[in-house]
Structure formats: C-alpha cells, structure tokens
Amino acid sequence: MLARSLAAIEAEVSVRLGDQEADAHSVLALMALGARKGDRIQVRAGGPQAAEALRVVQELVEDNFGEPA
C-alpha cells in the first residue's frame, strides 16, 4: 500500500528499521525489511515533493494502512 501510494509522487522516500533501509517505492525492498506491527520505523523523504510524500505516509499510518484497529 505504501509503495502504491507514493508511485505518483516525485520524491525519494526511504524506510529504516534498525540498521536496514529500503526504498519506499519498492514493494520487494519493503517486504525484505520484515517490519511487523508495533515496530518503530523511520521515514525520510527528499526531492521536489518530499513534504507531500511524508503527508501521504502520515495519513497511511493514521489510517492504520486501511486495516481494522
């Protein structure tokens, strides 16, 4: 859901879990992180639409990625 939501946004977005980092536009890279519910991640964005990218990520998190609470 994250990669799909960021697809049209012109920004470099990465997700860090521990000492691993993944390109947020890559479903496979995100899956390789192995993040689970409750894990603390760090999201970074750069580029022309970095603020928009972070807004999208924040909305997904606040909506629990569309999953029931």
Side-chain angles (χ1 to χ4, degrees):
M1 183 174 258
L2 179 60
R4 182 178 41 210
S5 297
L6 294 171
I9 297 176
E10 191 176 335
E12 297 80 38
V13 184
S14 64
V15 176
R16 178 174 285 280
L17 175 64
D19 62 348
Q20 296 181 320
E21 190 167 350
D23 179 349
H25 289 92
S26 170
V27 174
L28 292 178
L30 290 169
M31 289 175 62
L33 279 181
R36 303 211 184 270
K37 183 176 181 176
D39 284 348
R40 184 167 275 217
I41 62 168
Q42 182 179 44
V43 179
R44 294 182 185 192
Q49 293 184 303
E52 174 69 10
L54 292 176
R55 185 190 62 74
V56 166
V57 172
Q58 181 177 355
E59 287 177 0
L60 285 170
V61 169
E62 289 172 355
D63 187 43
N64 201 33
F65 289 86
E67 295 291 321

